[in-house]
Amino acid sequence: MPLQKAPRGTVMRDVAKLAGVSHQTVSRVLNEHPNVRPETRLRVLEAMRSLNYRRNLAARTLVTRRSNTLGIIGFETTLFGPASMLYGIESAAREAGYLVSIATVRNLERADVLSAVDRLAQHAVDGIIAIAPKTAVTSALMQAPTDLFCVAVGGAGDSESVPTVRMDNAEGACLATQHLLDLGHATVHHAAGPGDWPEAHERTEGWRRTLYAAGAVVPPVHPQWWDAASGYEQGRAMAADPAVTAIFCANDRIALGVLRALHEAGRKVPEEVSVVGFDDMPDSGFFLPPLTTVSQNFGELGRRSLALLLEHMNRPSDAETVDHVIVPPTLVHRASTAPPPPPR
Amino acid sequence: MPLQKAPRGTVMRDVAKLAGVSHQTVSRVLNEHPNVRPETRLRVLEAMRSLNYRRNLAARTLVTRRSNTLGIIGFETTLFGPASMLYGIESAAREAGYLVSIATVRNLERADVLSAVDRLAQHAVDGIIAIAPKTAVTSALMQAPTDLFCVAVGGAGDSESVPTVRMDNAEGACLATQHLLDLGHATVHHAAGPGDWPEAHERTEGWRRTLYAAGAVVPPVHPQWWDAASGYEQGRAMAADPAVTAIFCANDRIALGVLRALHEAGRKVPEEVSVVGFDDMPDSGFFLPPLTTVSQNFGELGRRSLALLLEHMNRPSDAETVDHVIVPPTLVHRASTAPPPPPR
DNA sequence: ATCTCAATTGTGAACGCTAACAGCCCCCAG
DNA sequence: CTGGGGGCTGTTAGCGTTCACAATTGAGAT
């Protein structure tokens, strides 16, 4: 591949010459060093502007060993949740003066994650945030070069020694389940997410524990994937069972599939069956009927994770604490839940 | 903000010493220069592996003036479309040996876009892909440093002199509208997207032209935003009008809102009113009823745009052609469309 | 008038890599 | 036996920035 060589632009030396100072003074102006006479400063700034000077960050990175770039390891970033976290991180990073580079992984195999870390490390990122719902990722992260700061966002709670920002999935599941129990439902069925994803697992566990604490029967689960098709499959089985009056879904997309299955079976929501989702996607309020759901603030999650990363980067290296920030979920009440129908 | 200085790692010189060669030979191995004796090559590779050597790309960038990084200017990247394009671009970029950095803009003001370009340029990206639905972006792109290659993806068709990859929105709108006309509907109403977005505008124009060509009445439009709430608003007005039997929506989210409005008004879909969407989001097949929609292959759009960018970068600079790649849409038939009800 | 200290500016040397050129060795032709 | 050429390797000089230190200046203290 014959690549063209970009032409050389204006550099510090050029600015220095025009302003009648040394290159070092230009550097000082650029880095806001205090000891520069205001008058000199202005002259330099003027020269920079007239030459349209732009500092070469590669050279700067070479000597400072800091690139002002952060790496993000993403998975399934087309989904609303990950995409929102990405956005939250990027916004916060920009305000902190960082650019973010993204490395998505196809699957969550250890090798894939390691190669993503490697790619980011080669490009000299200062830190890595992994949008990393499976534990393979966090454990791979620990193999990262020791001079690289990492945090994980949105995965499970049991992550070993990588700082983590995450939602309290179990608590969210509890909120949803308890809400349905409080309405008078004898028990709550569960349309689960993929069992090997910690987030799905935690939601299932939160649901199970809540039922158990209430002395309710714990129905079996048949987890599949995160999408509406999976919800439709699970929902069909539940719709066929007249004992089912309340369903807690692992996310809103699954809930959409469940709603469709119930509709096809002729079971009215919420009159006959109540449904609760998880995520509060932007359009969940426009499902038929509008979905009661557990709200996750993905943007906040992203922002928090960046804050945690920066905090770690600026902390003296002997402080070996591992933080885990947990963001609480809230329940959004809409029209898809109601008391159970009277027994006939 | 007191930042720690990362410790220094192993460099080429270390590898060279261990392998008993000069650093230049190490460099040759790394760059796959042909004239290295296989035996030497192996020794060097072995040394690199045992020292866990990782090439410093900042230094490489400094001398080659190529960072192997691409910049992406994104807008509303939490939405399914942009997020998918981003993913498509990133996948393709990885295969081509590039890392992508992302700069999102809050709004599409010229100043915002320029500052994003500037941020990317400072970080020495080799090229920029703008996910850029509004013309302000492409025109701002032309102000970019001349040594920076830019392409825009997914915006309008009338972009001036920036290479573009885009969907044929008018054609998609035509497909949808014609499908409804062919079913026997006297005319087709339109729940529009924001009129100041070229994509929305093109869809509206495609719809309008198709109706005009068929000699059908062109109903008024009241465009708002891309979300379900907007669809709900527009849908309520249409649901109240018994003459409305077919609705073409500017995207699937709007369609979701329209479906809800129709449902609340007691108008059955598709028996009384047919609805067509645009985008084919992953779960559109699980709406009530499953949505007939125009499918956009966002991933393909992303891949194509990367290919176009690379092609431009590797082209001799005297070739001043501007390419416009147009990806055709397809119509996905589902359950939300049917012939109009018999007049009563 | 001399000294001291701080503020301001300049000088040279890295940072880790690639490009350009020079040198070595060995084989084959003259 | 000598000369030339190609394969392979080493040497040197940047790339554009920051860092460490030296140099210069001027104000206030002695």
Side-chain angles (χ1 to χ4, degrees):
Chain A
M1 209 191 317
L3 295 171
Q4 318 179 38
K5 190 154 176 173
R8 133 176 215 299
T10 58
V11 301
M12 246 181 210
R13 193 181 310 279
D14 305 330
V15 176
K17 193 180 300 175
L18 181 59
V21 296
S22 75
H23 67 255
Q24 177 58 13
T25 298
V26 177
S27 170
R28 276 192 267 259
V29 170
L30 226 39
N31 295 319
E32 289 171 346
H33 190 95
N35 289 345
V36 176
R37 208 165 29 172
E39 166 193 326
T40 320
R41 211 179 91 85
L42 283 179
R43 222 167 53 235
V44 169
L45 286 175
E46 175 56 34
M48 292 203 298
R49 206 152 44 75
S50 83
L51 290 178
N52 198 16
Y53 169 74
R54 191 175 286 135
R55 157 208 260 165
N56 181 328
L57 277 189
R60 176 176 222 249
T61 298
L62 180 57
V63 48
T64 60
R65 294 170 199 293
R66 316 197 92 258
S67 62
N68 283 294
T69 301
L70 261 29
I72 299 190
I73 296 183
F75 179 61
E76 293 281 359
T77 48
T78 60
L79 302 186
F80 174 69
S84 303
M85 291 189 208
L86 185 55
Y87 180 75
I89 294 170
E90 203 276 340
S91 309
R94 177 183 2 158
E95 301 211 339
Y98 286 89
L99 193 68
V100 306
S101 288
I102 167 165
T104 56
V105 295
R106 286 171 222 272
N107 54 62
L108 292 173
E109 305 304 320
R110 185 183 197 78
D112 255 35
V113 178
L114 283 178
S115 100
V117 170
D118 200 66
R119 230 146 47 87
L120 293 174
Q122 280 214 7
H123 280 262
V125 298
D126 296 336
I128 291 183
I129 296 181
I131 298 178
K134 291 179 89 170
T135 39
V137 178
T138 52
S139 75
L141 234 47
M142 293 173 50
Q143 283 195 9
T146 49
D147 58 325
L148 214 49
F149 299 90
C150 299
V151 320
V153 56
D158 62 341
S159 52
E160 305 96 83
S161 64
V162 176
T164 309
V165 176
R166 63 183 203 88
M167 263 279 306
D168 194 334
N169 289 293
E171 169 67 12
C174 175
L175 244 45
T177 309
Q178 194 63 53
H179 167 60
L180 291 167
L181 291 175
D182 289 349
L183 283 170
H185 294 272
T187 190
V188 176
H189 285 65
H190 179 42
D196 53 343
W197 283 51
E199 303 193 292
H201 182 73
E202 288 185 8
R203 289 172 201 181
T204 300
E205 281 311 301
W207 160 78
R208 197 192 306 276
R209 278 204 301 273
T210 307
L211 288 186
Y212 186 80
V217 177
V218 178
V221 295
H222 304 287
Q224 297 184 32
W225 183 235
W226 287 113
D227 60 357
S230 159
Y232 181 64
E233 284 301 316
Q234 297 182 65
R236 285 224 295 195
M238 295 181 192
D241 177 359
V244 175
T245 67
I247 305 176
F248 163 55
C249 305
N251 77 358
D252 286 358
R253 300 177 65 199
I254 290 174
L256 181 64
V258 166
L259 288 176
R260 166 135 178 251
L262 290 170
H263 178 82
E264 286 188 357
R267 302 197 64 184
K268 294 204 190 317
V269 180
E271 293 82 357
E272 298 174 38
V273 183
S274 288
V275 176
V276 178
F278 207 114
D279 276 0
D280 195 21
M281 293 187 340
D283 295 328
S284 300
F286 290 87
F287 287 179
L288 293 177
L291 190 67
T292 295
T293 189
V294 178
S295 175
Q296 294 207 62
N297 191 335
F298 290 109
E300 176 69 13
L301 236 41
R303 256 166 278 134
R304 289 282 199 96
S305 63
L306 184 86
L308 184 60
L309 180 63
L310 291 181
E311 189 185 315
H312 266 256
M313 285 169 47
N314 300 332
R315 179 181 297 179
S317 52
D318 51 347
E320 267 299 351
T321 63
V322 173
D323 312 46
H324 294 281
V325 177
I326 298 189
V327 179
T330 57
L331 187 66
V332 178
H333 294 265
R334 296 210 186 91
S336 67
T337 49
R344 37 169 198 162
Chain B
M1 217 195 309
L3 296 170
Q4 318 178 39
K5 190 154 177 174
R8 128 178 220 300
T10 58
V11 300
M12 243 179 211
R13 193 180 306 279
D14 305 330
V15 176
K17 193 180 300 175
L18 181 59
V21 297
S22 76
H23 65 128
Q24 177 60 11
T25 298
V26 177
S27 169
R28 276 192 268 257
V29 170
L30 227 40
N31 294 318
E32 291 171 344
H33 191 96
N35 290 346
V36 177
R37 208 166 28 172
E39 167 194 324
T40 322
R41 210 178 92 85
L42 285 179
R43 227 172 46 237
V44 170
L45 286 175
E46 175 56 34
M48 292 203 298
R49 205 151 43 76
S50 82
L51 290 177
N52 198 18
Y53 170 73
R54 193 175 283 134
R55 158 208 257 165
N56 182 326
L57 277 189
R60 177 177 223 252
T61 299
L62 181 56
V63 49
T64 61
R65 295 171 199 294
R66 315 196 95 257
S67 61
N68 283 295
T69 300
L70 260 29
I72 298 190
I73 295 183
F75 179 60
E76 293 279 358
T77 49
T78 61
L79 303 185
F80 174 69
S84 303
M85 291 188 208
L86 184 56
Y87 180 76
I89 294 170
E90 203 277 338
S91 309
R94 177 183 1 156
E95 302 211 338
Y98 285 89
L99 193 69
V100 305
S101 289
I102 166 167
T104 56
V105 295
R106 286 171 221 273
N107 55 62
L108 293 173
E109 304 304 321
R110 184 182 199 78
D112 255 33
V113 178
L114 282 177
S115 101
V117 170
D118 200 65
R119 229 147 47 88
L120 293 174
Q122 279 215 6
H123 281 262
V125 297
D126 296 336
I128 291 183
I129 296 180
I131 298 177
K134 291 178 88 170
T135 38
V137 178
T138 52
S139 75
L141 234 46
M142 293 175 49
Q143 283 196 9
T146 50
D147 57 327
L148 214 49
F149 299 90
C150 299
V151 321
V153 56
D158 62 341
S159 52
E160 307 95 82
S161 64
V162 176
T164 308
V165 176
R166 64 183 202 87
M167 263 280 305
D168 194 334
N169 289 295
E171 170 66 14
C174 175
L175 246 45
T177 308
Q178 193 63 53
H179 168 61
L180 290 167
L181 291 176
D182 290 347
L183 283 171
H185 294 272
T187 189
V188 176
H189 285 65
H190 179 42
D196 52 344
W197 284 51
E199 305 195 290
H201 181 73
E202 287 185 9
R203 290 172 201 180
T204 299
E205 281 310 302
W207 159 79
R208 196 192 306 274
R209 278 204 301 272
T210 307
L211 289 186
Y212 186 79
V217 177
V218 178
V221 295
H222 304 288
Q224 296 183 31
W225 184 234
W226 288 113
D227 61 358
S230 158
Y232 182 65
E233 284 302 316
Q234 296 182 66
R236 286 225 294 195
M238 296 182 192
D241 177 358
V244 175
T245 66
I247 305 177
F248 163 54
C249 305
N251 78 357
D252 286 358
R253 300 176 65 197
I254 290 174
L256 181 65
V258 166
L259 287 176
R260 167 139 178 248
L262 290 170
H263 177 84
E264 286 187 357
R267 304 197 62 185
K268 293 202 190 318
V269 179
E271 294 83 356
E272 299 175 38
V273 182
S274 289
V275 176
V276 177
F278 207 115
D279 276 0
D280 194 21
M281 293 188 338
D283 295 327
S284 300
F286 291 87
F287 287 179
L288 292 177
L291 189 67
T292 294
T293 188
V294 178
S295 175
Q296 294 207 62
N297 192 335
F298 290 110
E300 177 68 13
L301 234 41
R303 257 167 278 132
R304 290 284 197 94
S305 64
L306 184 86
L308 183 60
L309 180 63
L310 292 182
E311 189 186 313
H312 265 257
M313 284 168 49
N314 300 331
R315 180 179 295 179
S317 52
D318 51 347
E320 268 298 353
T321 64
V322 173
D323 312 44
H324 294 281
V325 177
I326 298 189
V327 179
T330 57
L331 187 65
V332 178
H333 294 265
R334 297 210 186 91
S336 66
T337 48
R344 38 170 197 158

